[in-house]
Amino acid sequence: MPLTLYQASVPVFTRGFNNLAAVLEKARAHAEANNIDLATYVNARLAPDMYPLTGQIQGASDAAKFGIARLGGVTPPSMADTETTLEELQARIANTIAFISTVSEAQINASEGGTITLKIRGKEMSFPSEPYLLNFVMPNFYFHVTTAYAILRNQGVPLGKMDFLGSFN
Amino acid sequence: MPLTLYQASVPVFTRGFNNLAAVLEKARAHAEANNIDLATYVNARLAPDMYPLTGQIQGASDAAKFGIARLGGVTPPSMADTETTLEELQARIANTIAFISTVSEAQINASEGGTITLKIRGKEMSFPSEPYLLNFVMPNFYFHVTTAYAILRNQGVPLGKMDFLGSFN
């Protein structure tokens, strides 16, 4: 059986967000145990012109949210990018998982062979659904979840790659 | 048409590696223009117990190489992890692209519905081919290419997310 667009998207994002939520919880626990102000992590970034942790998590959320909305032909919920605390970032992740879980397998798979049109940096672009997911949405999603993890590692949070990959039981 | 395992793997890796090679070339040009020793970038890391740029690129190579070898049922070429220069890292990328391009669409797709067995941290694990690709190989690959990019951004190389995503013409 080949992969459906659904299999290659919703469960992959859900798994990635659950792993990310566990990574954030480890950061919270580490900060608490070491009297580190959590705001330090929330506002940390790897370069002056890169987004901090907040923006990385908003970016991962947007990648999944808009990706699934466009593939499923539904309107994505507005999310205001106003998170300033780790708790709010966890809520953003939970809300994103909740939204993508409302889009059915049939809705996503109906997009197979279809065309997605969007604006990238002000330029309108059309993609067949499959390269849209594989070459745009998925690398965008992983870019932001990996950068979130990397920011926390750079801040000294004790994490390993298995935290990023999640469990395989 | 659903996605084949081949569509979701070989061309995705090839695109990611080509984007990574272009990112490394920008790093080389930036170092040259600013009299920065390239070894600084090659050995840079985001945390004392994370791999430096070399290890990230070796990790991306291994993710794709072993992933495609296992899915395609072929023996992967040995790569010794001895790279110490940007040129050697570029060669590693080129060799990895060359290897994965030798595995045919039919070989990869023959793995659909099959089982992949591998050791993770000394523990033998079996996966159906599809979650093996989606939940293990792909996040592993993006973890390393994103971290390579993040290391260079952290070192001040002028890059943007479109360098990571590549062009969509």
Side-chain angles (χ1 to χ4, degrees):
Chain A
M1 281 284 293
L3 290 164
T4 65
L5 271 182
Y6 179 84
Q7 281 180 295
S9 59
V10 173
V12 172
F13 295 137
T14 302
R15 179 180 173 89
F17 282 128
N18 283 328
N19 295 342
L20 179 60
V23 160
L24 291 186
E25 171 51 25
K26 283 201 173 184
R28 193 204 56 71
H30 182 74
E32 190 177 284
N34 293 277
N35 292 312
I36 295 164
D37 183 354
L38 258 182
T40 311
Y41 295 163
V42 169
N43 299 314
R45 57 183 94 216
L46 294 171
D49 59 342
M50 281 182 91
Y51 286 111
L53 186 66
T54 41
Q56 301 302 338
I57 290 170
Q58 289 158 356
S61 165
D62 282 350
K65 182 184 80 166
F66 288 114
I68 293 303
R70 288 187 183 116
L71 290 171
V74 301
T75 303
S78 168
M79 298 184 181
D81 290 342
T82 50
E83 294 84 2
T84 59
T85 66
L86 208 72
E87 259 183 355
E88 289 171 343
L89 291 173
Q90 290 282 27
R92 174 71 175 256
I93 292 170
N95 289 338
T96 310
I97 293 174
F99 163 63
I100 66 177
S101 73
T102 66
V103 185
S104 71
E105 197 155 350
Q107 283 172 302
I108 300 282
N109 292 343
S111 178
E112 285 171 0
T115 300
I116 305 289
T117 301
L118 70 157
K119 281 195 175 174
I120 303 180
R121 313 262 155 138
K123 195 172 151 199
E124 196 160 283
M125 318 220 45
S126 289
F127 298 83
S129 299
E130 290 76 9
Y132 169 66
L133 176 64
L134 295 173
N135 298 337
F136 184 73
V137 178
M138 210 43 87
N140 225 329
F141 173 73
Y142 279 122
F143 178 91
H144 291 293
V145 291
T146 305
T147 305
Y149 171 97
I151 287 170
L152 293 170
R153 291 287 264 114
N154 187 243
Q155 290 291 315
V157 177
L159 296 165
K161 199 168 65 176
M162 294 311 287
D163 293 308
F164 176 84
L165 293 175
S167 112
F168 291 103
N169 296 322
Chain B
M1 282 284 294
L3 290 165
T4 65
L5 272 182
Y6 179 85
Q7 280 180 296
S9 59
V10 173
V12 172
F13 294 137
T14 301
R15 179 179 173 91
F17 282 128
N18 284 327
N19 295 343
L20 179 59
V23 161
L24 291 186
E25 172 51 24
K26 284 202 173 180
R28 194 204 57 73
H30 182 72
E32 190 177 285
N34 294 278
N35 293 313
I36 294 164
D37 183 353
L38 257 183
T40 309
Y41 294 164
V42 169
N43 300 314
R45 59 182 93 216
L46 294 172
D49 60 341
M50 281 183 90
Y51 286 111
L53 186 66
T54 41
Q56 300 302 336
I57 290 170
Q58 289 157 357
S61 164
D62 280 351
K65 183 184 81 165
F66 288 115
I68 293 303
R70 289 188 182 115
L71 290 171
V74 301
T75 303
S78 169
M79 298 184 179
D81 291 341
T82 51
E83 294 83 3
T84 59
T85 67
L86 208 75
E87 260 185 354
E88 289 171 343
L89 291 173
Q90 290 282 26
R92 173 71 176 253
I93 293 169
N95 290 338
T96 309
I97 294 175
F99 163 64
I100 66 176
S101 73
T102 65
V103 184
S104 73
E105 198 156 349
Q107 283 172 301
I108 300 280
N109 291 345
S111 177
E112 284 169 1
T115 300
I116 305 288
T117 301
L118 71 154
K119 281 195 175 172
I120 301 179
R121 313 262 155 138
K123 194 172 152 198
E124 196 160 279
M125 316 219 49
S126 289
F127 298 84
S129 299
E130 291 74 9
Y132 169 66
L133 176 64
L134 294 174
N135 297 339
F136 183 74
V137 178
M138 211 42 93
N140 224 330
F141 174 73
Y142 279 123
F143 178 91
H144 290 295
V145 292
T146 305
T147 305
Y149 171 96
I151 287 170
L152 293 170
R153 290 288 263 111
N154 187 243
Q155 290 291 315
V157 177
L159 296 164
K161 198 167 67 178
M162 294 312 287
D163 292 306
F164 176 86
L165 293 176
S167 112
F168 291 102
N169 296 323

